Amino acid sequence: METTLGTPTASAITFFFLIVALTLAVTYWAARRTRSTREFYAAGRSVSALQNGFALAGDYMSAASFLGIAGLVALRGYDGMIYATGWLVGWPALMFLVAEPLRNLGKYTFADVVAYRLRQTPVRIASAIGGILTVLFYTIAQMVGSGNLIMLMFGLSYEISVVLVGATMLAYVLFGGMIATTWVQIIKAVLLLAGVSLLTGLVLAEFQFSPGALYAAVVEQYGQAALEPGGLVTNPLDAVSLGLALMLGVLGLPHILMRFYTVPDARAARLSVLYATGLIGYFYIIIPLVGFGAAALVGRDVIAGIDAGGNMAAPLVAEQLGGTPFLGFIAAVAFATILAVVAGLTLAGASALSHDIYVSVVKKGQATEREQVRVARWATVVFGALAVLLGVVFKGQNVAFMVGLAFAIACSANFPALLLSIVWRRFTTAAAVASILSGATLAVGLIVLSPTVWVDVLGYPSALFGLRNPAIVSMTVAFLVGIGVSLATREPRAATMFDEEKLRTYLGVGAE
Amino acid sequence: MKRSVEEMLASAEFRHLVARRWRVSIALTVALFVTYYGFILLVALDRTLLAQRIGEVTTLGIPLGVSVILVSWVLTAVYVVWANRSYDAEVARLRQLLRE
């Protein structure tokens, strides 16, 4: 099959500029409304539940899941579908365990909640370390992925692609803050869902709108094995550990948690999770159909020939069914997807640097509004530049392990401290710090010793730690450390404040 | 009779509200774990079951995978309906009772 993939076509460039122009126009409009810290970090708490639902979905549905899962299904069949289910199950857990207390207790970052009744300085520093590590690894994965992607789609060089993403994303966050970032997410979510729905419709139209006929075409070419579980999940312990990281990692992703402060109250926070779960669930249900369609219509050899990981499966089937203009549209949507996710991550990283470290620790909360917004913008520049730099440095690295790492740190460092601080009266400052630091260290350390890095990246014959994802060990240890240190230390003030905090946690009294 | 913060915290109604909230949350979290890990362990331990055909070529694994996503969404919806109907009403009532 002839493809124009990798050469910039008129339609791809047109769609690309349309999307960038639209999002920059939104940024310009938002910039005039972004003066206070409340507006910069939390969009003035004026985002509606439905808007936030789309924005959460936009923050979460990355190009990795769009192109990656379609590719995995195209090349490996049913195993790709198993992967898709894991990406959704964190959302209900987020709702049941932390969404409302988080909204009622916090101000701008999840560290506000962890530090609420504990000693500010040590807890803020530890939470910022956990938060920034998570966001940083997630950002590197997105940057490296986007560099490769844009290189493949538009034929630009890797470095130029990374700088392009960095510069556009910086414009959104720097000038428009959370208001612009939210609208960029909404636009992206709508484009992505519409694009993938249309693509799914075109695929199914080839098979008289019958998924059964599509599966039959796949089986005819690749055998019944394409619809059966293969080798992806063989070791149950590994599967459970990965599942834990995927499920509970969502509860520790700073850029997701931060979104709860953009809505007016806990009720809106709750509704926005329901909308987001619906949108993301729909996305993960239809994306395997695109993957199967690519396998049946384009062929595995062609897909793997262009990119061994299968990442180009969705664009290729788009080109086959809708011609070059549709390929251009899908390519531009993928680009918008990357931009939006990186913008959300950058805002979360910048808020940890400025709100948690500079304002709360360095200035002890004594900073004027003007100063806070100025620092937030500088932190954005620092974090954005870092993202571009690391994107270039990590060129050619395996992206999947970095996403795995981000989720492992999120569920080991951030989630245990967050949950314990919400539910347990006895929780102390020393315990929070110890739990965050041990969770983060263990997650990073064990991934380095695992087959993913020790064997695949460093080339040693066998791994020192057997599991590909350390969550089951590192998260358990973080919980045990948090509980153990709390029992060994005493903090009467924190316990007294916990009682008053309950009024705010459960009744929303005094919530911002 | 308006209540002070201490009286509210000590009241049976407030304690019940908090206890009920966590009972619902934990029950739904357990249901979620059973659904997801049930599926994953089935994939890991009983591959032949998922490979069973239910249509001409369609395997049982496909609807099962889709239903994990659907069940997750339904559980989320159950929580929202419960919270909007029952929890919020009680929260509003207790807040009324609180002295400013």
Side-chain angles (χ1 to χ4, degrees):
Chain A
M1 160 188 171
E2 283 294 309
T3 175
T4 58
L5 208 67
T7 43
T9 59
S11 59
I13 292 171
T14 311
F15 281 120
F16 169 77
F17 276 110
L18 271 178
I19 290 173
V20 172
L22 179 65
T23 46
L24 285 178
V26 167
T27 306
Y28 175 74
W29 162 80
R32 300 195 316 192
R33 294 179 36 183
T34 303
R35 295 214 172 75
S36 69
T37 39
R38 239 166 74 113
E39 282 150 359
F40 190 86
Y41 294 124
R45 313 210 196 283
S46 63
V47 177
S48 78
L50 185 63
Q51 288 168 345
N52 197 44
F54 271 92
L56 281 168
D59 251 328
Y60 196 66
M61 297 181 297
S62 62
S65 46
F66 166 35
L67 301 174
I69 291 178
L72 209 55
V73 173
L75 297 185
R76 303 182 56 178
Y78 187 72
D79 277 357
M81 241 180 114
I82 301 174
Y83 211 68
T85 59
W87 289 97
L88 181 81
V89 290
W91 286 86
L94 174 67
M95 168 84 107
F96 306 150
L97 298 176
V98 301
E100 291 168 34
L102 192 77
R103 175 63 192 86
N104 281 341
L105 287 176
K107 208 170 161 192
Y108 303 131
T109 64
F110 79 95
D112 291 337
V113 180
V114 184
Y116 190 83
R117 65 198 158 99
L118 303 175
R119 289 205 308 282
Q120 294 292 315
T121 307
V123 177
R124 291 273 178 188
I125 294 174
S127 308
I129 292 174
I132 289 172
L133 275 180
T134 312
V135 173
L136 212 55
F137 282 112
Y138 213 121
T139 309
I140 295 174
Q142 296 295 329
M143 287 310 247
V144 173
S146 66
N148 289 327
L149 198 70
I150 293 165
M151 193 166 71
L152 268 174
M153 287 188 158
F154 298 93
L156 294 171
S157 87
Y158 176 88
E159 285 77 9
I160 289 178
S161 311
V162 169
V163 171
L164 199 65
V165 171
T168 323
M169 164 285 284
L170 258 182
Y172 303 152
V173 183
L174 195 55
F175 300 110
M178 185 52 113
I179 302 176
T181 307
T182 301
W183 280 103
V184 169
Q185 305 292 9
I186 295 173
I187 294 170
K188 163 260 172 100
V190 170
L191 283 173
L192 182 60
L193 289 167
V196 174
S197 298
L198 187 59
L199 189 52
T200 309
L202 288 175
V203 165
L204 286 178
E206 297 287 308
F207 300 94
Q208 302 84 44
F209 292 99
S210 148
L214 166 62
Y215 298 142
V218 172
V219 167
E220 197 185 315
Q221 289 185 52
Y222 308 103
Q224 185 67 27
L227 302 181
E228 294 169 358
L232 192 70
V233 184
T234 40
N235 174 355
L237 196 60
D238 222 348
V240 169
S241 192
L242 175 68
L244 274 182
L246 285 179
M247 187 187 271
L248 299 172
V250 181
L251 285 71
L253 292 178
H255 65 299
I256 299 289
L257 300 180
M258 190 177 185
R259 290 232 140 264
F260 290 104
Y261 304 124
T262 65
V263 293
D265 54 27
R267 193 185 173 88
R270 198 188 289 150
L271 269 178
S272 62
V273 179
L274 182 66
Y275 292 131
T277 312
L279 294 169
I280 299 168
Y282 166 72
F283 179 75
Y284 285 130
I285 287 177
I286 63 170
I287 199 78
L289 293 171
V290 174
F292 281 124
L297 299 168
V298 180
R300 285 183 178 172
D301 296 343
V302 177
I303 296 167
I306 288 181
D307 174 66
N311 285 317
M312 291 302 121
L316 283 169
V317 75
E319 187 181 27
Q320 172 131 347
L321 296 173
T324 315
F326 195 46
L327 170 68
F329 175 69
I330 289 290
V333 167
F335 183 76
T337 295
I338 294 164
L339 271 182
V341 173
V342 177
L345 287 164
T346 300
L347 191 57
S351 66
L353 285 176
S354 57
H355 176 65
D356 292 334
I357 297 292
Y358 184 79
V359 176
S360 303
V361 174
V362 179
K363 303 289 282 188
K364 305 282 177 211
Q366 305 296 313
T368 62
E369 272 295 302
R370 270 179 68 103
E371 192 184 357
Q372 289 192 38
V373 176
R374 208 183 65 229
V375 173
R377 291 209 157 105
W378 273 110
T380 306
V381 175
V382 170
F383 194 88
L386 199 64
V388 171
L389 191 74
L390 290 173
V392 173
V393 169
F394 279 80
K395 178 181 179 176
Q397 288 300 312
N398 173 345
V399 210
F401 103 80
M402 274 182 273
V403 176
L405 191 52
F407 273 80
I409 299 172
C411 83
S412 313
N414 309 342
F415 166 63
L418 182 63
L419 187 70
L420 287 172
S421 142
I422 290 171
V423 299
W424 197 30
R425 191 172 190 269
R426 273 298 258 115
F427 198 48
T428 64
T429 301
V433 173
S435 166
I436 293 170
L437 296 183
S438 60
T441 319
L442 214 54
V444 177
L446 290 180
I447 284 218
V448 172
L449 301 180
S450 79
T452 328
V453 175
W454 204 252
V455 179
D456 299 353
V457 179
L458 298 176
Y460 291 99
S462 69
L464 300 175
F465 176 73
L467 298 176
R468 288 197 168 261
N469 197 296
I472 198 167
V473 176
S474 55
M475 190 181 79
T476 311
V477 170
F479 267 113
L480 291 179
V481 167
I483 294 169
V485 176
S486 290
L487 292 176
T489 50
R490 216 157 260 294
E491 204 171 334
R493 187 178 150 272
T496 318
M497 278 183 75
F498 180 74
D499 293 331
E500 290 159 39
E501 179 187 307
K502 277 169 88 175
L503 224 46
R504 185 160 166 171
T505 311
Y506 298 104
L507 300 185
V509 175
E512 283 184 56
Chain B
M1 229 338 244
K2 293 273 185 184
R3 292 176 188 164
S4 70
V5 170
E6 290 73 26
E7 283 163 354
M8 177 59 81
L9 288 170
S11 72
E13 289 141 302
F14 182 74
R15 286 158 175 270
H16 279 156
L17 178 79
V18 174
R20 205 158 47 120
R21 186 227 181 273
W22 283 109
R23 264 208 310 277
V24 172
S25 292
I26 289 166
L28 288 168
T29 308
V30 169
L32 179 73
F33 265 76
V34 170
T35 308
Y36 179 62
Y37 282 113
F39 173 68
I40 288 296
L41 290 178
L42 221 52
V43 172
L45 303 173
D46 192 358
R47 230 177 278 180
T48 45
L49 179 76
L50 275 95
Q52 213 170 63
R53 291 190 211 182
I54 53 162
E56 204 181 317
V57 292
T58 312
T59 53
L60 182 63
I62 290 174
L64 276 184
V66 171
S67 47
V68 170
I69 294 180
L70 292 178
V71 169
S72 304
W73 189 80
V74 169
L75 291 175
T76 315
V78 167
Y79 180 82
V80 171
V81 170
W82 169 78
N84 283 2
R85 292 226 178 122
S86 161
Y87 185 73
D88 276 356
E90 183 68 359
V91 166
R93 198 178 71 83
L94 292 184
R95 280 185 72 151
Q96 287 274 315
L97 290 176
L98 200 64
R99 201 178 294 151
E100 287 305 311

